[in-house]
Amino acid sequence: MTLWEILRAQKFVRSDDLFTRLAAERLNGGRMPRNTIAIQHGAGTFKATAEGKNVVWQYGTQEIQGNTCEFTIAEDSAQILVSFDGLLTKFENKSDAQTLLDLSDLGGLATNYLNLYNCSNVTGDLSALGGRITHYLGLYNCSKITGSLSDLGGKVTYYLNLYGCSKITGSLADLGGKITHWINLGGCRNVTGVYSGDSYPTSVNLSNTGLTAADMDQTLINFNAGATSAGTFTAKSMTRTAASDDAVAGLISRGWTVTGLTKLEEAGT
């Protein structure tokens, strides 16, 4: 029995992306479909990485084959094309205010790893990612991004950095409790709720978010109960109550650094 037949018969726990690719290959005579992402960019230097099969970059008459590219862009409004077979497992472009990409331009073709760190003019909604990012999502200082944490489908498992994305909404519960390394939601003032789950990151920044003191109390209690490694918990300009005293003490005793929190005093004390 072929792999296609096994998946179709549901005798194997399949990846949605793998199943989609196999279906496309079947319709394409066994060949993976050729896909292209168009990236708008202003004058300056464009550097990026895209990992996938048979990756080719093009700017005007210039062409680069391989995962990484660097182009000197002469005009104020240019188009860079990246073509590949199937899906991209990684796309990265950092500290480039001239990248004018909208998340919808990715067409849901990026999986696993997406990093647009400090690309401050990137726009779009998290829902445009199609819930396909499973390992690493970095949109640090992409303040024009909209959407909800629920749009991520609870699939990110290692690293989530949405620092400064003040338009993002949702609850910590929407993350699915799977992240093992890093959560940075500093400045996400519309994010609320409680983090809980099977995995706890070793670095977390919940500064200037929308969490209430009760949200913070329960999040700290959950971290104390579930975290297995020492780490850092930062929550500047945030509050908690005496309900999380034992949790904070427990975390500190196990090597955690807990900073930024103000403890609210009960009335009459």
Side-chain angles (χ1 to χ4, degrees):
M1 181 179 288
T2 66
L3 179 57
W4 165 264
E5 291 169 334
I6 293 171
L7 290 175
R8 189 169 184 179
Q10 297 186 348
K11 295 181 179 179
F12 184 85
V13 178
R14 67 179 184 251
S15 157
D16 288 341
D17 287 341
L18 176 59
F19 193 72
T20 299
R21 289 171 60 186
L22 287 170
E25 287 181 44
R26 186 178 177 88
L27 293 173
N28 200 32
R31 300 183 303 276
M32 295 173 65
R34 190 74 179 162
N35 290 310
T36 300
I37 294 172
I39 303 163
Q40 304 303 312
H41 197 278
T45 300
F46 175 79
K47 296 181 180 181
T49 297
E51 293 184 0
K53 187 174 182 180
N54 298 325
V55 176
V56 178
W57 304 84
Q58 186 173 357
Y59 162 55
T61 58
Q62 300 179 57
E63 183 176 288
I64 296 175
Q65 297 184 12
N67 292 341
T68 60
C69 83
E70 180 174 340
F71 290 124
T72 298
I73 309 301
E75 62 268 41
D76 289 332
S77 181
Q79 181 172 262
I80 300 157
L81 303 178
V82 54
S83 301
F84 46 92
D85 294 342
L87 302 169
L88 289 179
T89 56
K90 177 178 180 178
F91 183 83
E92 183 170 70
N93 175 216
K94 298 187 292 185
S95 297
D96 188 351
Q98 294 304 312
T99 295
L100 308 178
L101 180 78
D102 187 283
L103 294 183
S104 63
D105 295 333
L106 296 174
L109 298 172
T111 69
N112 193 52
Y113 187 116
L114 175 64
N115 188 15
L116 298 173
Y117 177 93
N118 206 30
C119 291
S120 54
N121 284 312
V122 168
T123 58
D125 194 277
L126 290 179
S127 62
L129 299 177
R132 284 185 161 182
I133 308 301
T134 57
H135 181 70
Y136 186 115
L137 178 60
L139 295 174
Y140 174 94
N141 200 32
C142 294
S143 60
K144 298 179 181 180
I145 297 293
T146 59
S148 171
L149 295 181
S150 62
D151 295 325
L152 302 178
K155 294 182 179 178
V156 179
T157 59
Y158 181 73
Y159 182 105
L160 177 66
N161 190 347
L162 298 178
Y163 178 90
C165 295
S166 58
K167 297 180 180 180
I168 298 296
T169 63
S171 168
L172 294 181
D174 296 329
L175 297 177
K178 299 175 182 177
I179 300 176
T180 60
H181 179 61
W182 179 235
I183 293 177
N184 188 352
L185 296 173
C188 295
R189 297 183 179 277
N190 295 307
V191 170
T192 60
V194 174
Y195 186 91
S196 64
D198 297 326
S199 299
Y200 289 82
T202 53
S203 295
V204 58
N205 181 8
L206 298 176
S207 302
N208 299 298
T209 57
L211 273 69
T212 64
D215 288 339
M216 191 65 71
D217 283 338
Q218 192 58 55
T219 295
L220 287 163
I221 290 168
N222 291 345
F223 264 78
N224 185 46
T228 58
S229 302
T232 59
F233 191 106
T234 305
K236 295 178 181 179
S237 301
M238 305 303 295
T239 59
R240 67 175 186 88
T241 74
S244 55
D245 280 353
D246 289 345
V248 172
L251 288 168
I252 292 173
S253 71
R254 290 189 286 114
W256 279 75
T257 301
V258 180
T259 59
L261 284 161
T262 299
K263 180 181 171 181
L264 298 178
E265 299 295 336
E266 296 181 13
T269 61

